[in-house]
Amino acid sequence: MATHHANAVLPDEPEKATLEGKNKLLGFWLFLGGETVLFGSLFATFIALRDQTNGGPTSQQLFDMPLVAAATLLLLTSSMTAVMATLALHKKNLKQIQVWLTITVLLGLGFLGLEIYEFMHYVHEGHKISTSAFGSSFYTLVGFHGGHVAFGILWIVLLQLSATKKGLTVVTAPKFYLASLYWHFIDVVWVFIFTVVYLMGMIGGKVG
Amino acid sequence: MSAHASHAPKRSGLWDWLTTVDHKKIAILYLIAGGIFFLAGGFEALLIRLQLMYPESSVVGAKTFNELITMHGTTMIFLAAMPIIFALMNAVVPLQIGARDVAFPFVNSLGFWLFFFGGVLLNTSWFLGGAPDAGWTSYTTLALNQFSGHGVDFYVLGLQIAGLGTLIGGINFLVTIINMRAPGMTFMRMPMFTWASFVTSGLILFAFPAITVGLVLLMFDRLFGGNFFNPDAGGNVVIWEHIFWIFGHPEVYILILPAFGVISEVISTFARKRLFGYSSMVFATALIGFLGFMVWAHHMFTTGLGAIANTLFGLATMLIAVPTGIKIFNWLLTMWGGQIRFTTANLWAVGFIPTFTIGGMTGVMLAIPPADYQYHDSYFVVAHFHYVIVGGLVFGLFSGLYYWWPKMFGKLLNETLGKWNFWTFFIGFHLTFFPQHFLGLMGMPRRVFTYLKDQNLDLGNFISTIGAFGMTIGTILFVVNIFVTAASSKRAPADPWDGRSLEWAIPSPPPEYNFAQTPLVRGLDAFWIEKVAGNKGMTPAEPLGDIHMPSPSFLPFLMSVGLFIAGYGFMYHNYVVVVIGLLVTFACMFTRSVKDDPGYHIHEDEIEEKGVKA
Ligand code: HEM
Ligand SMILES: [Cu+2]
């Protein structure tokens, strides 16, 4: 174990050191269970409505592989940097945590930027939430995910700011841990979006 | 760890209630708010029944009638039944597992305030241009702009806010039950009410996100030009039905399982026997919870899902009768040979059994798809679900309230008034809803505001309305009982019923830290075991020491107010208001996450040594 002097008092796995920490961890896992149902319902709705374009643009006309691939790359990398942050947490090294999280946030911002560009582009092509049932379900599913990314960025930044004052303690450690758990979750959801919305949408044809 | 303040922040009066994070006080808040909504929903029901008392009458008119049935159903389910369940869970579960507190006191209070402001938002629709009128199920396309008024926007946003509160409340109880049990309190030693709360919370966790999505989609359609449910633009109305019932069917088990839990506690206490077949009860509870998710499409037999789907969902539905039957027999066998005391609490519990059984039987009838084509949307359905929701859940809640009132308020409800309360409500209930089975079979459709003379519907409807007055009298007697009890000066002892589970081992009402020393649990019916062994109380599992408490907070209230304000902004497309509201909420979240809350300590010498002896 690294024995950085100031943190020497911190127990191993500081995120689970207190009952409060354990409660938070369990509660957060359960919350993610609920989020799974939430995204599951959105996916089901999207799959049911994806071919209902009502004369508006279809997914084949809209989607653009390089853009989506770039966004995916950014987000997947950010999950890796979040893992590095958790490893740093277990080494009780606040500085490293901060560095890795900063990279995570920057990658997340890049992803969001691409998504906003993508949406604006689509609207330009006449693909709006009100154009068709496909439009409604696309923006709701992908937008919900984007909202989660935005929230995650805000959360991590706030954590980073407050940790500069408070340092790494048994109170802040669970928060770092949960934030990166959350970040992995939205990453996994994106993998499904990438497959179900974009890949399947670009192949085209009726599925199911 | 950061330094702790050593004294409780002094708060009193209203300010104390607005900021409390004590689960026992939150229980009382839930009870008061849920009780008021129950009276509102009951008043709406009475108006519905007055309108239907005679054929072709026009007491309220068609438009108001639609609003009344919608608000009645919505209010009863979301704003009366759920909160009163949460009241009991908050009052009892931490005590039954020997915990000092719930896992997330702050979240607990946030859950209450979200429910409260969601409910208020929904009800302000009455004064702001009309209440929702598309039924409590808000079926599309009826619930879209073309066919229904502004009221449905209140439904969409009010339920969204209240639903969030329920969801986080459920998570709180799951974590509390998993992580906060006293030493020795294994899962298979948990009282049935705690088990029921546990499974119910699990159902909440997986069911409520579905309605969250449903409400978001409906909101997009109604407010932002979405097309999810608009067939003209490729939308599909059956999606709403699926999502609604994927939530809605588990929801009825969310309602009934806690009632089962109450009945188990009350029957075994007043039969002075341990619950018959405890482990089969646990198994049945879990199985019902699981099956509850598998059967949602029995609400959709007539939408054309096809014969195979209908058959499978029909069979799955009927399967639920098996674990439910196990429970009924276990209750009967618990009473068998027991020394039964017919207190009011036990009257409600015993009255529950045949009433709920009738509701269960009509449920199996409805689960036969071809037969359902006949019953569908008739008064037979109305009779069925009131037999389970009122005859099941409401009876269970009354039983639980009479049983735990002393633990919650330190006083025993008046038994004489209680018996009058029971009998008027019980008889009124059966008068109201039994004839509705026949009205339905004779062809009276659900959700119609009137009917013609001389079609054999007159007498049944008349009796039904008389019964509704009976229930009204019963409810009024309960309210009277509350005031009479509050005015009396007699205090309840710690263990007025000779109870079996841990909550009876500490004073009524318990001190804010519940257990001065965490108790050591040696088996099922933990307190009873000690009493039988001749011990005065529980053996402590820890030495007496300082107790750490969370500090009160105004943030949950403010956060909910923020969403409440934002809700109006969305409805009236005023985005300045939306931003202001959300800013309030986010500012509270920000404050909460940046400012650590170290709580405070109650010192050893301040702890009254009443409950647990060292
Ligand atoms: C207190 C006595 C009650 C009376 C007299 C009463 C009466 C009624 C009536 C006449 C309807 C309208 C049926 C229709 O035309 O479709 C109705 C609907 C309903 N009631 Fe009750 N009810 C009572 C209590 C409750 C309670 C306690 C609950 C739930 C906890 C409840 C849940 C519902 C629901 C979910 C509906 C369906 C509303 C809809 O179709 O949109 N009721 N009730
Ligand atoms: Cu059902």
Side-chain angles (χ1 to χ4, degrees):
Chain A
M1 275 286 122
T3 42
H4 190 276
H5 181 69
N7 295 328
V9 281
L10 215 56
D12 290 340
E13 299 203 318
E15 75 276 8
K16 295 182 206 158
T18 60
L19 180 62
E20 284 80 21
K22 278 188 211 140
N23 285 348
K24 273 194 187 149
L25 233 67
L26 178 62
F28 200 79
W29 273 107
L30 293 171
F31 166 75
L32 291 183
E35 288 264 278
T36 308
V37 177
L38 189 123
F39 277 105
S41 310
L42 288 171
F43 271 107
T45 309
F46 175 81
I47 290 170
L49 296 176
R50 50 188 288 243
D51 295 320
Q52 307 298 326
T53 50
N54 190 36
T58 65
S59 51
Q60 289 95 323
Q61 288 160 353
L62 289 170
F63 296 162
D64 169 38
M65 192 58 179
L67 183 78
V68 186
T72 307
L73 197 70
L74 288 179
L75 204 62
L76 289 187
T77 317
S78 78
S79 206
M80 204 182 72
T81 55
V83 172
M84 300 306 289
T86 310
L87 289 181
L89 173 68
H90 285 164
K91 283 192 266 168
K92 300 167 203 166
N93 187 333
L94 181 59
K95 225 189 187 142
Q96 269 186 33
I97 298 179
Q98 294 282 34
V99 171
W100 285 118
L101 284 185
T102 308
I103 302 176
T104 309
V105 164
L106 289 176
L107 290 168
L109 281 173
F111 171 87
L112 262 191
L114 285 184
E115 187 153 277
I116 292 169
Y117 167 79
E118 184 198 3
F119 279 12
M120 291 201 320
H121 177 69
Y122 291 165
V123 169
H124 206 68
E125 308 262 290
H127 178 61
K128 299 189 199 141
I129 198 163
S130 54
T131 307
S132 61
F134 165 56
S136 311
S137 59
F138 171 82
Y139 284 114
T140 309
L141 172 58
V142 182
F144 237 75
H145 175 267
H148 274 73
V149 174
F151 182 82
I153 291 174
L154 206 70
W155 179 15
I156 296 179
V157 170
L158 279 180
L159 255 181
Q160 289 187 285
L161 289 180
S162 66
T164 51
K165 265 195 294 178
K166 295 181 201 159
L168 191 60
T169 66
V170 285
V171 180
T172 51
K175 297 186 182 179
F176 278 120
Y177 190 85
L178 294 186
S180 75
L181 205 59
Y182 174 85
W183 196 259
H184 296 315
F185 176 79
I186 50 184
D187 215 32
V188 172
V189 173
W190 179 259
V191 172
F192 281 94
I193 291 185
F194 181 68
T195 316
V196 172
V197 178
Y198 291 100
L199 286 185
M200 279 164 66
M202 270 182 273
I203 298 164
K206 290 231 187 273
V207 180
Chain B
M1 279 294 254
S2 19
H4 294 293
S6 57
H7 271 284
K10 283 268 173 287
R11 304 193 169 189
S12 58
L14 189 62
W15 186 239
D16 179 36
W17 288 101
L18 295 183
T19 57
T20 185
V21 293
D22 180 349
H23 64 91
K24 298 175 289 299
K25 286 190 174 154
I26 291 174
I28 292 172
L29 288 173
Y30 267 119
L31 183 61
I32 295 172
I36 290 173
F37 283 124
F38 182 81
L39 294 181
F43 181 66
E44 284 151 6
L46 206 58
L47 288 178
I48 298 173
R49 275 319 321 166
L50 277 176
Q51 162 68 21
L52 294 174
M53 187 165 184
Y54 297 109
E56 296 175 75
S57 65
S58 50
V59 179
V60 293
K63 177 175 183 295
T64 312
F65 187 88
N66 283 345
E67 297 175 342
L68 284 173
I69 59 159
T70 304
M71 284 302 281
H72 164 70
T74 312
T75 304
M76 283 301 193
I77 301 254
F78 292 98
L79 309 180
M82 295 290 292
I84 300 177
I85 288 171
F86 266 105
L88 289 184
M89 278 164 53
N90 267 298
V92 176
V93 168
L95 306 185
Q96 284 198 328
I97 60 175
R100 286 258 167 72
D101 205 341
V102 293
F104 307 113
F106 181 91
V107 168
N108 201 16
S109 118
L110 179 60
F112 169 76
W113 290 111
L114 285 173
F115 138 69
F116 180 76
F117 279 104
V120 172
L121 182 108
L122 184 53
N123 273 280
T124 55
S125 62
W126 286 114
F127 315 103
L128 295 171
D133 54 0
W136 85 279
T137 52
S138 241
Y139 273 6
T140 55
T141 46
L142 180 61
L144 298 184
N145 288 324
Q146 302 92 297
F147 302 105
S148 66
H150 191 38
V152 180
D153 297 334
F154 286 85
Y155 173 98
V156 167
L157 285 152
L159 289 191
Q160 190 68 280
I161 297 172
L164 285 177
T166 308
L167 182 61
I168 59 180
I171 293 180
N172 180 35
F173 276 102
L174 283 172
V175 179
T176 303
I177 295 171
I178 296 175
N179 273 0
M180 312 276 285
R181 283 166 291 128
M185 176 62 78
T186 59
F187 271 99
M188 290 312 278
R189 287 175 179 178
M190 280 185 341
M192 270 322 288
F193 181 72
T194 296
W195 255 111
S197 305
F198 183 61
V199 177
T200 280
S201 302
L203 293 182
I204 288 176
L205 175 62
F206 292 111
F208 269 74
I211 190 75
T212 301
V213 169
L215 292 171
V216 166
L217 305 187
L218 187 54
M219 169 168 142
F220 279 10
D221 270 17
R222 290 190 55 91
L223 296 173
F224 307 119
N227 288 308
F228 290 101
F229 310 119
N230 176 9
D232 292 340
N236 183 337
V237 298
V238 179
I239 291 178
W240 168 265
E241 294 198 26
H242 276 297
I243 291 181
F244 185 86
W245 287 114
I246 284 173
F247 149 76
H249 189 81
E251 167 68 15
V252 305
Y253 289 87
I254 292 169
L255 297 177
I256 201 63
L257 288 177
F260 286 174
V262 172
I263 302 303
S264 302
E265 305 282 317
V266 170
I267 287 205
S268 75
T269 299
F270 293 111
R272 263 180 212 276
K273 274 175 66 188
R274 84 180 256 176
L275 187 66
F276 186 90
Y278 170 82
S279 36
S280 66
M281 284 300 229
V282 171
F283 176 71
T285 306
L287 189 62
I288 292 174
F290 173 75
L291 287 174
F293 270 102
M294 300 293 122
V295 300
W296 79 92
H298 64 213
H299 296 271
M300 303 165 66
F301 283 152
T302 59
T303 52
L305 297 178
I308 309 257
N310 279 359
T311 309
L312 288 176
F313 280 105
L315 285 173
T317 305
M318 291 180 215
L319 270 184
I320 299 185
V322 177
T324 313
I326 293 179
K327 285 185 167 267
I328 304 264
F329 283 110
N330 281 341
W331 289 321
L332 294 176
L333 289 168
T334 306
M335 287 192 282
W336 189 282
Q339 301 156 267
I340 304 179
R341 283 172 292 164
F342 284 103
T343 59
T344 308
N346 201 28
L347 275 183
W348 285 108
V350 173
F352 166 99
I353 296 176
T355 314
F356 184 80
T357 307
I358 296 176
M361 274 160 26
T362 53
V364 177
M365 292 168 72
L366 285 163
I368 306 164
D372 185 64
Y373 274 74
Q374 195 64 32
Y375 310 131
H376 184 67
D377 268 349
S378 78
Y379 257 76
F380 189 84
V381 175
V382 178
H384 155 70
F385 71 66
H386 281 92
Y387 262 82
V388 286
I389 300 186
V390 183
L393 169 66
V394 176
F395 282 20
L397 290 178
F398 272 121
S399 177
L401 287 175
Y402 276 94
Y403 184 59
W404 281 307
W405 201 268
K407 200 46 66 183
M408 290 178 77
F409 296 98
K411 291 187 182 172
L412 283 150
L413 282 169
N414 182 303
E415 280 286 308
T416 316
L417 273 170
K419 286 185 177 147
W420 279 95
N421 167 206
F422 169 76
W423 285 110
T424 46
F425 197 94
F426 184 81
I427 295 170
F429 166 80
H430 285 282
L431 273 186
T432 309
F433 294 107
F434 201 71
Q436 292 185 4
H437 294 107
F438 300 101
L439 288 173
L441 295 177
M442 288 189 296
M444 179 164 161
R446 176 182 179 189
R447 297 173 174 169
V448 288
F449 88 106
T450 193
Y451 51 94
L452 294 175
K453 261 214 279 284
D454 297 328
Q455 294 190 319
N456 285 328
L457 302 178
D458 307 16
L459 181 63
N461 273 297
F462 184 75
I463 296 176
S464 186
T465 302
I466 299 300
F469 280 107
M471 279 193 277
T472 308
I473 295 171
T475 309
I476 292 172
L477 286 173
F478 183 68
V479 176
V480 171
N481 200 345
I482 294 177
F483 284 105
V484 169
T485 304
S488 106
S489 55
K490 258 184 84 182
R491 322 265 336 151
D495 181 19
W497 313 119
D498 199 4
R500 313 176 70 81
S501 40
L502 274 180
E503 72 268 34
W504 306 111
I506 50 175
S508 312
E512 55 177 328
Y513 43 80
N514 296 351
F515 295 86
Q517 289 160 286
T518 306
L520 181 69
V521 174
R522 302 187 220 237
L524 182 62
D525 290 342
F527 188 38
W528 188 258
I529 291 181
E530 305 295 332
K531 287 198 270 191
V532 170
N535 300 334
K536 283 248 172 53
M538 301 301 298
T539 312
E542 57 172 17
L544 202 61
D546 292 356
I547 294 175
H548 179 236
M549 304 294 296
S551 15
S553 170
F554 190 47
L555 293 178
F557 183 91
L558 264 187
M559 267 171 95
S560 314
V561 170
L563 287 183
F564 180 71
I565 295 172
Y568 286 104
F570 277 120
M571 265 188 290
Y572 294 101
H573 293 278
N574 185 333
Y575 294 99
V576 179
V577 175
V578 171
V579 171
I580 293 176
L582 291 183
L583 273 182
V584 172
T585 303
F586 278 114
C588 294
M589 287 167 79
F590 177 79
T591 316
R592 167 74 181 168
S593 80
V594 179
K595 221 181 108 226
D596 276 330
D597 167 25
Y600 61 93
H601 274 115
I602 299 178
H603 279 300
E604 195 177 323
D605 42 338
E606 292 172 60
I607 297 169
E608 303 166 61
E609 259 250 72
K610 266 197 244 157
V612 186
K613 293 271 177 329

